[in-house]
């Protein structure tokens, strides 16, 4: 990140380790509604959230930030916000959290996104996403965020890309992006997932900026 110029990214959407030990091993035993799978734990084992210096650096390189899991480490950010995002995962009878929270640097109202995401159950079962990462978020969640909080032409940063869902959403909606992932195993899986998506045709490749077919 030190090599990135000040304010280079218009928006950072990040989902770092929360520091709660959710790196994959406990998934299966905690759900009684739909089968969940265990995953190889990722680098660092979700033992700690990034330090305050990371958040200072994030604010230097990006004009706006959306930070998932910030309810676990708000003291490291540390700024008030009225504009949190709530993702209701509709995951029923489990001891996983009912929703995930993202702190944002925006000045608008708090917003709710409802999208079932629980083990094998997903909101959009006809376009089910293959899960490759223990903390994988739906591409649809990131598309919803980009549609509301990014402007056409924005550059998007995700410093903890995991499964690359955020990057796939950027690709689908035509945003330039940069993603980092420190875990070699998950990096390779995410790279393959992203490349598979990029091999597909997109509607935006065949329409102009007003959505007209070329
Ligand atoms: C909560 S997960 C991200 C999940 C992602 N949002 C998704 O939808 O798949 C956090 C990820 O950050 C990665 N990570 C941890 N420390 C990192 C670091 N210093 N640099 C880059 N990635 C890191 C972990 O390996 C893990 O894959």
């Amino acid at each position: 990140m030190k090599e990135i110029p000040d304010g280079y990214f218009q928006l950072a959407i990040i989902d770092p380790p929360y520091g709660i030990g959710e790196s994959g091993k406990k998934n299966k035993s905690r759900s009684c509604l739909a089968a969940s799978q265990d995953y190889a734990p990722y680098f660092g084992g979700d033992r700690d959230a990034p330090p305050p210096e990371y958040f200072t650096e994030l604010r230097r390189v990006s004009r706006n930030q959306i930070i998932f899991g910030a309810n676990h480490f708000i003291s490291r950010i540390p700024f008030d916000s009225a504009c949190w995002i709530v993702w209701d995962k509709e995951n029923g009878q489990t001891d996983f959290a009912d929703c995930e929270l993202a702190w944002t640097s925006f000045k608008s109202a708090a917003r709710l996104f409802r999208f079932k995401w629980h083990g094998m159950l997903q909101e959009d079962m006809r376009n089910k996403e293959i899960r490759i990462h223990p903390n994988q978020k739906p591409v649809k969640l990131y598309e919803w965020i980009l549609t509301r909080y990014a402007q056409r032409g924005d550059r998007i940063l995700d410093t903890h890309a995991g499964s690359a869902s955020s990057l796939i959403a950027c690709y689908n909606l035509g945003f330039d992006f940069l993603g980092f992932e420190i875990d070699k195993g998950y990096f390779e899986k995410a790279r393959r997932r992203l490349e598979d998506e990029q091999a597909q045709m997109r509607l935006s490749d065949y329409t102009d900026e007003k959505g007209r077919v070329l």
Side-chain angles (χ1 to χ4, degrees):
M1 286 171 79
K2 281 199 170 73
E3 294 171 15
I4 301 172
D6 293 359
Y8 183 75
F9 292 94
Q10 282 76 19
L11 179 60
I13 310 174
I14 65 136
D15 184 24
Y18 300 173
I20 56 174
E22 290 287 356
S23 69
K25 269 197 163 163
K26 298 186 293 189
N27 270 28
K28 207 147 81 189
S29 59
R30 295 178 50 191
S31 166
C32 51
L33 191 67
S36 300
Q37 55 173 316
D38 283 341
Y39 297 85
Y42 53 74
F43 179 90
D46 192 24
R47 273 189 297 278
D48 200 9
E53 301 77 53
Y54 161 81
F55 294 101
T56 305
E57 188 69 350
L58 189 71
R59 282 198 306 279
R60 182 185 68 75
V61 301
S62 58
R63 299 196 190 147
N64 276 298
Q65 304 82 35
I66 294 178
I67 304 178
F68 276 98
N71 48 314
H72 294 284
F73 46 79
I74 189 65
S75 60
R76 302 180 187 197
I77 292 183
F79 293 100
D80 297 338
S81 171
C83 180
W84 288 68
I85 293 170
V86 180
W87 168 32
D88 178 357
K89 301 196 268 190
E90 297 191 330
N91 60 7
Q93 308 280 309
T94 72
D95 64 354
F96 289 111
D98 292 344
C99 58
E100 290 212 25
L101 302 175
W103 177 95
T104 85
S105 60
F106 292 92
K107 302 286 175 240
S108 49
R111 294 285 174 225
L112 172 68
F113 176 71
R114 216 171 251 131
F115 192 91
K116 187 189 289 296
W117 193 251
H118 174 58
M120 288 159 54
L121 298 179
Q122 296 182 12
E123 182 80 25
D124 187 359
M125 292 298 277
R126 274 196 290 190
N127 298 300
K128 213 171 157 199
E129 286 180 40
I130 296 168
R131 294 181 66 159
I132 62 164
H133 188 285
N135 305 147
Q136 184 167 331
K137 290 183 162 47
V139 171
K140 286 273 183 297
L141 166 66
Y142 286 109
E143 288 181 351
W144 180 88
I145 288 174
L146 288 166
T147 305
R148 276 155 189 79
Y149 298 94
Q151 308 292 323
R152 203 177 175 81
D154 281 1
R155 285 186 290 266
I156 312 294
L157 171 67
D158 183 350
T159 53
H160 298 75
S163 66
S165 286
S166 60
L167 312 183
I168 291 168
C170 287
Y171 172 73
N172 288 344
L173 298 185
F175 289 98
D176 287 340
F177 57 84
L178 177 64
F180 295 89
E181 170 52 52
I182 203 170
D183 186 290
K184 276 191 182 153
Y186 282 116
F187 174 88
E188 274 311 317
K189 286 184 181 168
R191 190 177 56 78
R192 277 198 298 274
R193 184 173 178 234
L194 179 59
E195 281 175 2
D196 285 350
E197 292 292 329
Q198 289 174 324
Q200 310 283 327
M201 284 188 287
R202 289 180 309 181
L203 189 59
S204 60
D205 291 336
Y206 300 94
T207 53
D208 65 15
E209 67 283 352
K210 291 194 171 136
R212 290 179 299 220
V213 178
L214 296 170

